[in-house]
């Protein structure tokens, strides 16, 4: 009883003591008139107590369980009224109540309501199966009754042969008890683990009643019953057990409806047990000749056949349930199973202090694989990924495929090991996958979150959302590192703040994103977006050799927003063309203004992937330059490698035409994605921009330095310029200069600034400019 508070134990133990005392008293002096009154009073008191407990249970319960307890309260109240009438007979009329009496009307109401109440405890959600259980109950009840009849109750029948009402009334109770008992046991077999204790106690209460009622029927038939018989205490015991069930139910959380109810093994054969007993024990007692052997054999055969059909059904149901909860491609859990397990883990977490963590994983650029290798190869790749993930998990963890190229791991255990598992998962992708003879390196974005003990109200949905946000952050960072959720991460579509702290990020819930989208459309329509420029410095001479145009959104409430917090909105909401046009117009207008002041500043503009599929892009850019009187080589377009990868031929053709017109092409973020030297060889490019993360370790890591050196040399051999991005310190700048890198860009040389601050004043050194890029006339 350790799981139940002392209070509950006391509330059950006290009336139980009373029952024991009553048993002793009745055994000693049951025929004394005063004792008989005490007997009636105690029984009435115990029932009133059980009724109150049931009412309290009804108040605490919800939905179906509440209906069950309301019916049970009414049933127990009817029984109490019946006992009260009995007591009045004894007290006022000084005589035993006749059979049947007014009290019996209430006892019958009790029997009917209690049967109805028991059907409401059935936990299966489908009406159909509730009917089946009711039918099972009737069958079982009748079989048990048949057994009871043959063994004992036919004596009752013989005694009341001429008084039909008395007969029905006397036999009704054992029959109702047996039916109730059957339903209770069958409900118990299907019950949610948490409801099992309540239903066990209820079944015990009904079993005790059945014993009392049957014994009573036999005693009455033999005219051997009178108030004060020790059997009265047995009813009292049943009342206490009803009260106990109600008290425990109050402390039991409402059961979850099962995702797909699989009947337990016992529930398959148990309904046939009474039939088997009645059909084998009965015939030899009441039949003669060949029938007494034939009937039992037939009954056994039928029972076997039915059990087998039920077993077969269960096997099919299990298979169906398994399929409904598994991802057919990988054999991993699907979202439904994952959510179910997560919900369960979260309940256990608060009960027994277990750690629960969720890891969310999304394969980067999987669409490229689908497009280039075909769906069947992509499918094989996904099941390989599934196998590797499963190998990273511990026994007891759940690995699920939650979307096309999305996976999730539920990590449960006595203590948090999510970090170690996440590291294993990340490392599992270091080895290439082999499909159709191709070695393919997949890069995952991995986010992890642990349910913190300081947040008891955390829901399973919160946890999944957080893992998703962390995964999105990993995706945005384009880094293979595992990201752990922190409160300052911004949901999908959001971005991290600038290192300068100058820009703020929007808050991230769904409604906020929708509002942000509206505001973004408004900003696009009403010139609300800005372009800033970051200088590109020649590492050899220190001169500014160009600027990169970067998008900014001065948000009226949120402050200056960086592209990371709204670029995904632009991509997802089909705003790419408008924004690209807007940035190009602004950048070229500014370039033209500088140019008209005799300041020749090449400008680089970032292009979104889809723009490169527009075959009229070269002509459009050419016209835009031409109408402003700008030479075409003042414009550089920056593209990322994954853009090229997706539609190599189409994109290469567009890039070739751009270069024929004189527009320069730069590969952006080299070293951050699927960097492959073969693209450098095949692509028509003028410039390679080395990613910040690629060059950051060159001064500390000899191997990184060797790779960077090789890429610089190779790029030169191909006749292209090398630009290093994100240079923040002089040591790195010096290393790059010494190793032949041509151009540098980064906070060391200057942060992105307004067009107005890119002013042609003089040719002064601009390398250390903190927040302005000052460029002299050409
Ligand atoms: P990107 O093309 O790699 O741009 C360089 C980013 O690095 C800029 O971030 C810049 O502010 C930041 N940065 C420059 N120097 C340093 C440094 O020393 N340290 C660090 N930590 N960061 C530095 P920003 O402006 O937030 O832009 C982010 C990305 O958004 C850009 O990355 C680019 O891919 C995209 N983007 C920006 N403007 C546009 C646009 O007009 N069109 C398109 N399609 N994409 C844009
Ligand atoms: Ca760029
Ligand atoms: Ca870049």
């Amino acid at each position: 009883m350790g799981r139940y508070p002392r209070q509950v134990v006391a509330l059950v133990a006290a009336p139980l003591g009373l029952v024991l005392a009553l048993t002793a008293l009745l055994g000693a002096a049951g025929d004394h008139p005063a004792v008989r009154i005490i007997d009636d009073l105690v029984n009435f008191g115990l029932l009133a107590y059980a009724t109150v407990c049931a009412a309290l249970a009804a108040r605490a319960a919800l939905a179906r369980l509440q209906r069950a307890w309301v019916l049970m309260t009414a049933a127990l109240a009817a029984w109490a009224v019946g006992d009260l009438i009995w007591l009045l007979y004894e007290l006022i009329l000084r005589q035993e109540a006749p059979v049947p009496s007014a009290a019996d009307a209430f006892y019958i109401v009790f029997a009917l309501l209690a049967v109805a109440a028991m059907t409401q405890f059935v936990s299966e959600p489908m009406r159909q199966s509730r009917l089946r259980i009711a039918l099972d109950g009737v069958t079982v009840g009748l079989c048990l009754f048949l057994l009871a009849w043959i063994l004992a109750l036919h004596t009752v029948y013989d005694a009341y042969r001429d008084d039909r009402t008395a007969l029905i009334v006397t036999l009704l109770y054992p029959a109702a008890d047996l039916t109730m008992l059957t339903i209770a046991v069958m409900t118990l077999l299907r019950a949610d683990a948490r409801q099992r204790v309540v239903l066990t106690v209820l079944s015990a209460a009904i079993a005790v009643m059945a014993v009392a009622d049957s014994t009573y029927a036999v005693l009455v038939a033999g005219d051997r019953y009178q108030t004060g018989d020790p059997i009265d205490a047995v009813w009292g015991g049943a009342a206490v057990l009803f009260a106990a069930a109600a008290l425990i139910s109050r402390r039991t959380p409402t059961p979850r409806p099962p995702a797909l109810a699989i009947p337990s093994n016992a529930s398959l054969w148990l309904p046939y047990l009474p039939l088997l007993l009645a059909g084998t024990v009965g015939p030899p007692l009441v039949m003669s000749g060949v029938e007494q052997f034939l009937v039992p054999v037939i009954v056994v055969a039928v029972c076997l056949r039915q059990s087998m059909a039920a077993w077969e059904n269960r096997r099919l149901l299990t298979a169906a349930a398994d399929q409904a909860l598994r991802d057919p491609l990988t054999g991993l859990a699907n979202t439904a199973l994952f959510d179910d397990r997560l919900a369960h883990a979260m309940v256990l977490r608060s009960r027994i202090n277990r750690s629960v963590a969720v890891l969310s994983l999304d394969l980067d650029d999987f669409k490229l694989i689908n497009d280039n290798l075909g769906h069947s190869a992509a499918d094989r790749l996904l099941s390989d990924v599934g196998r590797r993930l499963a190998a990273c998990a511990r026994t007891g963890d759940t690995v699920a495929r939650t979307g096309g190229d999305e996976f999730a791991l539920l990590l449960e255990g006595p203590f948090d090991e999510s970090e170690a598992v996440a590291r294993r998962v990340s490392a599992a992708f270091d080895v290439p996958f082999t499909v159709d003879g191709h070695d393919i390196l997949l890069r995952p974005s991995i986010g992890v979150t642990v349910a913190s003990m300081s947040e008891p109200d955390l829901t399973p949905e919160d946890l999944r959302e957080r893992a998703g946000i962390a995964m999105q952050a990993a995706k945005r960072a384009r880094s293979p590192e595992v990201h752990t959720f922190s409160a300052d991460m911004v949901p999908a579509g959001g971005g991290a703040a600038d290192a300068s702290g100058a820009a703020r990020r929007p808050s991230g819930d769904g409604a906020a994103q929708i509002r942000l989208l509206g505001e973004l459309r408004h900003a696009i329509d009403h010139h609300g977006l800005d372009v800033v420029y970051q200088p590109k410095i020649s590492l050899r001479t220190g001169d500014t050799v160009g600027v990169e145009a970067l998008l900014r959104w001065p948000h009226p409430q949120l402050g200056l927003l960086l592209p990371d917090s709204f670029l995904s909105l632009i991509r997802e909401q089909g705003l790419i063309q408008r924004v690209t046009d807007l940035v190009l117009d602004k950048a070229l207008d500014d370039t033209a203004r500088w140019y008209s002041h005799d300041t020749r500043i090449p400008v680089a503009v970032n292009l979104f992937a889809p723009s490169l599929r527009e075959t009229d892009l070269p002509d459009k850019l050419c016209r835009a330059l031409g109408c402003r009187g700008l030479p075409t080589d003042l414009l550089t377009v920056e593209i990322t490698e994954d853009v090229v990868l997706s539609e190599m031929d189409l994109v290469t053709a567009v890039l070739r035409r751009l270069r024929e017109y004189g527009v320069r092409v730069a590969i952006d973020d080299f070293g951050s994605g699927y960097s492959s030297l073969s693209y450098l060889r095949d692509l028509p490019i003028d410039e390679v921009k080395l990613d910040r993360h690629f060059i950051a370790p060159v001064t500390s890591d000899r191997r990184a330095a060797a790779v960077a050196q090789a890429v610089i040399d190779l790029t030169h051999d191909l006749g292209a310029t090398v630009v290093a991005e994100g240079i923040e310190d002089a040591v790195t700048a010096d290393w790059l200069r010494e190793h032949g890198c041509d151009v540098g860009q980064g906070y060391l040389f200057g942060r992105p600034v307004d067009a107005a601050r890119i002013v042609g004043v003089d040719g002064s050194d601009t390398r250390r400019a903190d927040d302005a890029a000052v460029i002299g006339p050409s």
Side-chain angles (χ1 to χ4, degrees):
M1 275 309 233
R3 290 195 3 243
Y4 297 98
R6 282 231 184 96
Q7 204 193 358
V8 172
V9 179
L11 285 173
V12 175
L16 213 55
L18 195 59
V19 170
L20 289 177
L22 180 67
T23 315
L25 183 65
L26 294 181
D31 38 12
H32 192 283
V35 170
R36 287 164 57 177
I37 300 292
I38 291 175
D39 174 15
D40 284 346
L41 276 173
V42 168
N43 264 309
F44 172 73
L46 288 173
L47 271 167
Y49 178 65
T51 309
V52 171
C53 291
L56 291 177
R59 212 179 60 174
L62 295 171
R64 203 170 35 75
L65 212 55
Q66 186 165 51
R67 281 201 298 281
W69 279 113
V70 166
L71 285 167
M72 195 51 95
T73 308
L76 291 168
W79 184 3
V81 172
D83 271 11
L84 188 64
I85 293 172
W86 196 282
L87 173 68
L88 293 180
Y89 267 108
E90 207 102 13
L91 265 182
I92 299 165
L93 305 176
R94 304 237 164 243
Q95 67 169 65
E96 188 109 313
V99 177
S101 71
D104 283 298
F106 287 93
Y107 294 148
I108 289 169
V109 171
F110 163 79
L112 297 177
L113 286 177
V115 168
M118 288 316 296
T119 63
Q120 296 299 309
F121 280 105
V122 177
S123 66
E124 282 179 43
M126 294 162 283
R127 291 225 154 257
Q128 189 193 352
S129 78
R130 212 180 294 169
L131 179 66
R132 196 189 67 216
I133 290 166
L135 287 174
D136 279 355
V138 170
T139 317
V140 172
L142 287 178
C143 286
L144 288 177
F145 185 64
L146 182 64
L147 204 60
W149 176 269
I150 293 169
L151 294 177
L153 297 182
H154 68 273
T155 53
V156 179
Y157 175 77
D158 291 341
Y160 286 121
R161 195 184 287 272
D162 307 321
D163 186 349
R164 202 164 274 182
T165 324
L167 179 69
I168 292 175
V169 168
T170 320
L171 292 187
L172 186 86
Y173 303 126
D177 293 341
L178 295 177
T179 312
M180 260 192 289
L181 180 60
T182 315
I183 298 175
V185 172
M186 302 214 331
T187 308
L188 171 65
L189 292 171
R190 280 151 225 257
D192 185 279
R194 285 170 282 179
Q195 279 292 307
R196 226 161 258 169
V197 183
V198 175
L199 285 164
T200 307
V201 179
L202 263 182
S203 304
I206 297 166
V208 169
M209 269 203 75
V211 170
D213 283 343
S214 307
T215 315
Y216 169 77
V218 175
L219 289 177
V220 167
D223 231 349
R224 284 179 287 139
Y225 178 83
Q226 63 168 347
T227 307
D229 191 284
I231 186 86
D232 290 355
V234 181
W235 275 309
V240 174
L241 285 173
F242 276 115
L247 288 169
I248 294 169
S249 174
R250 271 187 72 203
R251 307 262 167 187
T252 306
T254 314
R256 261 182 301 132
L260 223 177
I262 308 278
S264 65
N265 252 326
S267 77
L268 299 184
W269 54 260
L270 194 96
Y272 301 105
L273 188 64
L275 180 57
L276 210 58
L277 282 175
T280 51
V281 175
L285 293 178
V286 295
M287 292 178 183
S288 59
V290 141
E291 301 97 300
Q292 60 173 317
F293 303 108
L294 217 49
V295 172
V297 172
I298 293 172
V299 168
V300 169
V302 169
C303 286
L304 275 179
R305 200 238 157 255
Q306 289 292 21
S307 302
M308 271 179 69
W311 183 79
E312 186 80 345
N313 265 341
R314 179 175 189 269
R315 209 174 51 82
L316 292 174
L317 197 61
T318 313
D322 201 52
Q323 262 169 29
L325 299 174
R326 300 249 154 231
D327 166 48
L329 179 65
T330 58
L332 299 175
N334 66 9
T335 311
L337 181 57
F338 186 85
D339 287 346
D340 192 63
R341 295 243 175 109
L342 177 59
H344 187 243
M346 290 297 274
V347 171
L348 281 189
R349 164 183 101 105
S350 44
R351 287 247 198 106
I352 53 173
N353 238 346
R354 277 167 72 87
S355 155
V356 180
V358 172
L359 181 151
S360 174
L361 182 149
D362 188 287
L363 299 173
D364 292 355
D365 306 316
F366 196 75
K367 193 181 170 309
L368 299 185
I369 308 247
N370 250 327
D371 292 348
N372 292 299
L373 298 181
H375 283 274
S376 87
D379 280 357
R380 265 171 283 145
L381 205 54
L382 284 174
S383 43
D384 282 352
V385 169
R387 260 192 295 279
R388 277 199 200 172
L389 289 179
C392 296
R394 304 156 302 170
T395 26
D397 291 341
T398 304
V399 183
R401 177 162 167 245
T402 50
D405 57 354
E406 289 162 31
F407 296 84
L409 272 71
L410 168 61
L411 311 171
E412 302 174 66
F415 39 87
D416 175 31
E417 289 179 326
S418 58
E419 215 171 285
V421 177
R423 255 185 277 118
R424 275 210 295 281
V425 169
S426 172
F429 287 84
D430 290 345
V431 184
F433 291 82
T434 309
V435 170
D436 297 345
H438 300 287
D439 275 355
I440 295 174
L441 256 179
L442 287 177
R443 205 183 57 174
S445 295
I446 304 173
V448 183
T449 188
V450 186
S452 139
M453 285 301 167
S454 62
E455 291 174 289
D457 295 335
L458 204 65
T459 65
E461 294 74 35
D462 292 339
L463 207 60
R464 267 198 78 173
E465 193 183 319
R466 289 183 176 186
I469 291 172
M471 184 275 286
Q472 291 290 345
K475 184 149 290 225
R476 276 197 301 270
R478 304 185 118 257
S479 105
E481 288 147 42
V482 175
H483 278 56
T484 304
F485 175 82
S486 63
D488 59 347
M489 280 181 178
V490 182
D498 191 358
S500 70
R504 301 233 332 262
R505 65 197 91 112
S507 78
D509 55 77
Q513 283 293 312
I514 291 169
R515 201 179 58 230
L516 200 66
L517 176 62
E519 291 163 347
L520 178 60
R521 288 186 198 279
H522 187 268
I524 292 172
D525 292 342
H526 297 86
H527 310 287
L529 295 184
D530 261 354
V531 173
V532 291
Y533 299 92
Q534 187 176 34
K536 294 158 96 172
I537 308 295
S538 160
L539 288 175
R540 245 166 294 132
T541 65
D543 294 337
T544 300
V545 292
V547 291
E548 177 178 0
L550 294 162
L551 191 58
R552 291 291 180 269
W553 179 9
H555 190 282
Q557 283 88 42
L558 299 170
L560 187 62
L561 296 183
L562 293 179
D564 272 357
S565 50
F566 58 94
L567 277 186
S568 58
L569 272 184
I570 293 177
R571 278 196 210 96
E572 285 155 19
Q573 304 298 329
L575 299 168
I576 286 179
Q577 179 132 28
R578 307 255 347 247
V579 172
T580 306
D581 289 352
L582 195 145
V583 173
L584 267 170
D585 279 346
K586 256 204 153 83
L588 292 182
D589 282 348
D590 286 333
T591 311
R593 213 179 39 252
W594 299 325
Y595 195 62
S596 70
H597 286 90
D598 259 2
T599 315
R600 187 191 150 88
I601 309 174
V603 69
V605 170
N606 294 283
L607 290 187
F608 290 102
S611 305
L612 287 162
R613 291 190 207 112
E614 293 167 29
T615 41
D616 64 344
L617 180 79
D619 293 318
K620 205 170 85 179
L621 291 187
C622 222
R623 276 198 304 275
L625 286 156
C627 71
R628 291 174 174 90
L630 289 170
T632 48
D633 64 352
L634 275 190
L635 177 65
T636 303
V637 295
E638 296 194 1
I639 61 169
T640 45
E641 295 156 284
D642 38 0
V643 172
V644 183
L645 244 176
S646 59
E647 265 149 299
M648 190 77 175
D649 293 343
L650 190 69
V651 171
T652 315
V654 169
L655 294 182
R656 260 211 187 96
R657 292 239 315 288
L658 277 173
R659 292 186 78 214
E660 278 163 20
Y661 284 131
V663 174
R664 289 166 52 87
V665 174
I667 286 276
D668 204 355
D669 301 342
F670 188 87
S672 73
Y674 287 103
S675 304
S676 160
L677 296 176
S678 65
Y679 299 127
L680 290 188
R681 184 194 62 201
D682 298 338
L683 283 173
I685 43 168
D686 303 274
E687 193 175 300
V688 173
K689 299 191 77 177
L690 305 183
D691 189 69
R692 186 156 62 93
H693 298 98
F694 186 74
I695 58 134
V698 290
T699 55
S700 57
D701 178 348
R702 283 190 29 223
R703 294 170 66 91
V707 175
Q709 175 73 74
V711 170
I712 292 172
D713 292 346
L714 182 81
T715 311
H716 282 155
D717 288 346
L718 296 169
T721 309
V722 184
V723 180
E725 291 185 305
I727 304 178
E728 291 181 351
D729 58 77
V731 187
T732 310
D734 289 343
W735 187 95
L736 288 162
R737 185 180 306 114
E738 278 158 27
H739 291 80
C741 180
D742 307 295
V743 176
Q745 186 181 342
Y747 295 162
L748 175 68
F749 307 113
R751 288 177 184 271
V753 291
D754 284 349
R757 310 196 57 174
I758 307 277
V759 279
V761 206
D762 54 31
S764 64
D765 191 330
T766 60
R767 266 172 300 172
R768 303 282 162 165
D770 257 353
D771 60 350
V774 186
I775 295 175
S778 55

